[in-house]
Amino acid sequence: MTDRIAVIPGDGIGGEVVPVAVRVLDAVGDFAFEYAEAGDGALAETGSALPDGTRELAANADATLFGAAGETAADVILPLREAVGSFANVRPARAYPGVDAFHPEIDLVFVRENTEGVYAGIESEITEGVRTLTRVTTEAASRRIAAFGFDYAAEHGYDVTVAHKANVMRRTDGLFLDGVAAVADERGVDYEPHLMDALAMHLVMDPTEYGVVICPNLAGDVLSDLAAGLVGGLGLLPSANVGPDRALFEPVHGSAPDIAGEGIANPVATVLSAAMLCEFLGHDAAAERVREAVLETLADGPRTPDLGGDATTDGAGRALLDRLD
Ligand code: ATP
């Protein structure tokens, strides 16, 4: 059966890298693509950064491929993640032959809770010059992300580390850790709890010691960007926002206004996001073909300037497609 894919390129380089990923998907599977607008461009055109039709499309498609949103990112990606019922943000960061990395064997997967924490959006101004932010942690969401992370680790053969700061945020991260411990107990699995600040240092010093890292929302955002730096930059990191029935796939990077329009954005992060989309829909062989093509293209070139090469987005995309023929 043909899978319905909502395609939302968005702003900046989103509009440059998403078409490459769509061509790649077209080469490996049978997908029906439906396009929609979101982001700064949509706001200027329609008065809404996330038009109702876009949200509907994502909520009903089998999967969504999203590029990036600029200034309006928070008004777009948070409701879009909600529209697909996503609670887990999966961000793999691995080293590739041909790309400078801190260590050639880095293979990390951040499993980030993405419905609450400090990104719950509860901020207020108490009085002029004093603002507060409310952090939300629930037992249910903590258990849910732990269960997802442990399952992912078991399925893909990784050890589990859990990032937290329960020595300072005693009640909220305390509850998060309790949720993780309860799920680990039920499953009879091991994991290493790790203070998130110390973990940042250890990820740089001994990155190969870690596999799946289960994180609260903000920690997952920051640590996965750190990991992007370890493996060669944001141009390489894909992500999946997974819910019980649907999911949205997007590169970890944003709209990169500094290089937008130059045609030099690295399409790999979005193409690898497309590979995750294939896997989510049960097309494992297609996902593997895409990953192989990425591996070969990174190893032999051509590579885009962020990786030290001189290829354009289209050139790198064509090289990928040639390897899929
Ligand atoms: P936004 O406001 O949309 O988050 P940003 O510039 O703050 O944009 P990113 O878009 O994530 O954040 O970009 C951070 C840096 O990484 C920029 O210098 C950008 O050029 C670079 N970068 C991000 N993605 C890519 C890519 N696909 N190819 C090449 N460079 C990239």
Side-chain angles (χ1 to χ4, degrees):
M1 211 179 73
T2 306
D3 294 301
R4 283 182 63 218
I5 311 297
V7 181
I8 309 172
D11 300 318
I13 64 169
E16 301 169 36
V17 291
V18 166
V20 176
V22 168
R23 286 199 288 277
V24 164
L25 283 172
D26 226 7
V28 297
D30 179 21
F31 301 104
F33 301 104
E34 294 175 45
Y35 286 81
E37 297 288 325
D40 302 355
L43 178 64
E45 242 172 69
T46 70
S48 167
L50 185 63
D52 289 347
T54 303
R55 185 201 299 260
E56 285 284 298
L57 185 66
N60 293 304
D62 294 310
T64 298
L65 181 66
F66 176 68
E71 297 293 318
T72 52
D75 301 323
V76 173
I77 193 59
L78 299 181
L80 268 183
R81 286 177 181 154
E82 206 178 305
V84 303
S86 145
F87 62 87
N89 184 207
V90 184
R91 296 180 164 192
R94 56 163 297 194
Y96 291 94
V99 178
D100 262 351
F102 254 56
H103 191 289
E105 273 157 37
I106 296 174
D107 185 4
L108 297 159
V109 183
F110 294 86
V111 173
R112 166 190 171 203
E113 201 293 319
N114 75 345
T115 63
E116 53 184 35
V118 292
Y119 287 0
I122 310 170
E123 292 189 287
S124 43
E125 180 157 302
I126 302 291
T127 181
E128 209 189 320
V130 183
R131 296 177 191 179
T132 60
L133 167 97
T134 301
R135 181 176 202 228
V136 179
T137 304
T138 64
E139 184 183 347
S142 303
R143 291 180 72 119
R144 187 172 56 176
I145 196 66
F148 182 92
F150 286 129
D151 288 349
Y152 186 99
E155 194 181 325
H156 295 86
Y158 289 101
D159 290 339
V160 176
T161 302
V162 176
H164 70 95
K165 190 74 183 169
N167 57 337
V168 175
M169 297 183 278
R170 292 188 187 135
R171 302 203 68 174
T172 49
D173 261 359
L175 183 62
F176 176 72
L177 274 189
D178 287 348
V180 171
V183 174
D185 229 32
E186 282 161 18
R187 285 172 159 65
V189 292
D190 285 331
Y191 66 98
E192 230 11 87
H194 219 309
L195 288 171
M196 60 176 77
D197 45 357
L199 179 59
M201 179 189 75
H202 285 292
L203 281 170
V204 174
M205 294 183 71
D206 327 295
T208 59
E209 293 295 304
Y210 302 93
V212 162
V213 185
I214 300 176
C215 310
N217 210 338
L218 173 62
D221 204 9
V222 175
L223 292 176
S224 57
D225 265 30
L226 178 144
L230 294 179
V231 299
L234 279 168
L236 294 174
L237 256 65
S239 81
N241 298 281
V242 183
D245 305 313
R246 300 180 200 291
L248 176 147
F249 301 84
E250 55 170 333
V252 169
H253 65 72
S255 64
D258 54 337
I259 58 164
E262 291 180 31
I264 54 163
N266 188 346
V268 165
T270 314
V271 169
L272 288 172
S273 304
M276 295 177 87
L277 179 153
C278 291
E279 203 173 15
F280 175 77
L281 294 174
H283 309 308
D284 291 2
E288 209 34 55
R289 278 182 73 201
V290 174
R291 291 193 181 113
E292 276 298 313
V294 167
L295 230 122
E296 286 170 19
T297 308
L298 288 175
D300 302 337
R303 290 181 283 267
T304 44
D306 55 309
L307 302 179
D310 57 10
T312 61
T313 307
D314 278 346
R318 270 198 307 277
L320 275 164
L321 284 164
D322 285 348
R323 290 186 163 93
L324 290 168
D325 273 349

